[in-house]
Amino acid sequence: MIQAFIKIRFFQIYRAIKGLGIIRSCLLLGLFVFVAFILFIQSSKYPNSLYVAGIYLLILILIQFKRSDKQFLKVHFNNFKRILLIEYMLLIIPLFICFIYNKQWQPLLLSVILLFVIVNINFRFKSLSLNTLIQRLIPSSCFEWKSGIRKNLLLIVPLFVLGLGTSFYIGSVPIVIFILGIIPFGFYEKGESLQMLLASEMGASGFLFNKILMQLILFSILVVPLIIAFIIFHYEIWYIAVIEYIIFISTHVYIIFTKYSFYQPNVKASGTQAFGIIGAMGVLFPFFIPIVWLLSFLFYFKSKKNLNFYLNDYN
C-alpha cells in the first residue's frame, strides 16, 4: 500500500512537470542543477553545513505544517507516519548524499534525528473567523486578503505593533517584515471558484494587472510604515529594509503568476505548490531573485493563456 501511494506521488510530479512544456522544464532542470551545486559547495565545510541542514529541514517543517492530507493519511493508513517519513527521506536524499560525500557526519546525524521529529509534528493553527473594520476596508476583489487577514489578524497586528515599537533595535523591523512577507504566500494557494473569477468582468491582462496592483498596495500599506521607522533609526543602512521589500514584492508577483498559470476552479494545483517553493527560496537566498524574475516573465504569458480560456468573453 505504501509503495502504491509513493508511486502516485511520482505520477503527480510527472504530470506537473509534463504540463510545463519543454522550455520551462529545461529552466526548472537548470535551476535544480544550480541548487544542487550550491548545496554541494556549502555542505562541504563546517559550520555552513549546519546552516544548509537547518534551511533544508525548515522547508520540510513548513511542508509538514501546510500539507492538507495528514488527516486523510491518518484515517486510511495505520502506518501513516511511515509514509510521511519515506516522502521526506526521498526529498532529503540530495542533502544526505552531499553530507556523506563531504564527510559531514554531525549535520547528517542531526538531520536524521530531526527528520523523525518532523514526522511527529501534528500542530494545527486554529482558524478564527473575525470580521473587523480592517477586512471591510479591503476591496471585495481582494478576497484572498480578506480571507487571509481574517485567519491571521491576531498574528499580523501584534507583529506590526511589535515591529514599530522596537524599530530602534537593528534587527527588529527586518525580522517582522520577513514574517509579514511570508504570510501572503498562503493567500494564493487555492484557485477561486469560476463564479468569483468571472465576477471581475475583466480580460486576462486586466485581471492580472489588477491582482498585482492590489497586492502591491495592500502589502505596502502593511510594511511601508515599518520601513520608514527603520530608516529613521538606522538611516546608514536604510537599504536593508528596502531590498527586503523589493524581494518580497518580486516574490508575491511571482506567486500570483504561478497561481494563474496552473489555475483550476476550486483546486490547489500541484504546479502552484511546486513552483511556489522556488519563490520561497528566492526569499531565503536572495541570489535566486533573478531566476524568480525570469520565471515571472515566462509565467505571465502562461497565466494569461490559461486565463483566456475562462475570461475570453471580456477580452
Side-chain angles (χ1 to χ4, degrees), residues 219-232:
F219 184 67
S220 298
I221 291 173
L222 186 61
V223 301
V224 164
L226 294 170
I227 295 174
I228 293 173
F230 182 82
I231 293 175
I232 291 174

Side-chain angles (χ1 to χ4, degrees), residues 170 173-174 177 224 226-246:
I170 192 169
V173 168
I177 291 177
V224 164
L226 294 170
I227 295 174
I228 293 173
F230 182 82
I231 293 175
I232 291 174
F233 287 104
H234 312 286
Y235 59 89
E236 68 282 359
I237 51 173
W238 60 270
Y239 52 86
I240 293 179
V242 174
I243 291 175
E244 190 176 19
Y245 171 76
I246 294 173

Side-chain angles (χ1 to χ4, degrees), residues 135-284:
Q135 287 107 287
R136 292 194 290 271
L137 290 174
I138 298 174
S140 299
S141 61
C142 305
F143 52 86
E144 299 97 342
W145 273 82
K146 281 182 175 289
S147 175
I149 293 294
R150 182 179 296 112
K151 295 177 181 178
N152 298 281
L153 186 64
L154 296 183
L155 172 62
I156 292 174
V157 172
L159 273 175
F160 181 82
V161 174
L162 179 66
L164 279 181
T166 60
S167 55
F168 47 87
Y169 290 113
I170 192 169
S172 175
V173 168
I175 291 174
V176 170
I177 291 177
F178 181 84
I179 299 173
L180 293 177
I182 289 291
I183 290 175
F185 282 23
F187 295 178
Y188 297 95
E189 286 185 334
K190 186 176 181 180
E192 63 267 31
S193 66
L194 181 58
Q195 291 77 10
M196 295 184 71
L197 182 71
L198 297 177
S200 65
E201 297 185 354
M202 296 181 183
S205 298
F207 178 84
L208 289 170
F209 176 78
N210 182 69
K211 281 290 180 184
I212 292 171
L213 178 62
M214 295 310 301
Q215 173 67 30
L216 296 179
I217 292 174
L218 293 173
F219 184 67
S220 298
I221 291 173
L222 186 61
V223 301
V224 164
L226 294 170
I227 295 174
I228 293 173
F230 182 82
I231 293 175
I232 291 174
F233 287 104
H234 312 286
Y235 59 89
E236 68 282 359
I237 51 173
W238 60 270
Y239 52 86
I240 293 179
V242 174
I243 291 175
E244 190 176 19
Y245 171 76
I246 294 173
I247 289 174
F248 274 112
I249 285 297
S250 301
T251 309
H252 292 165
V253 171
Y254 168 79
I255 291 295
I256 291 174
F257 285 151
T258 56
K259 172 187 175 180
Y260 289 106
S261 292
F262 302 96
Y263 169 80
Q264 297 177 46
N266 298 313
V267 171
K268 187 183 290 187
S270 57
T272 302
Q273 299 177 66
F275 279 93
I277 295 176
I278 298 177
M281 293 185 69
V283 173
L284 295 173

Side-chain angles (χ1 to χ4, degrees), residues 52-92:
V52 170
I55 293 173
Y56 212 111
L57 291 168
L58 178 60
I59 293 174
L60 292 184
I61 290 173
L62 292 175
I63 293 174
Q64 176 72 357
F65 272 126
K66 297 295 290 183
R67 64 186 301 161
S68 57
D69 62 346
K70 282 186 290 185
Q71 187 62 32
F72 170 82
L73 295 176
K74 189 174 182 180
V75 171
H76 291 84
F77 299 92
N78 294 326
N79 49 359
F80 75 99
K81 289 185 179 179
R82 189 183 302 175
I83 295 176
L84 297 177
L85 180 62
I86 293 174
E87 285 186 342
Y88 294 153
M89 287 187 70
L90 290 173
L91 290 174
I92 209 170

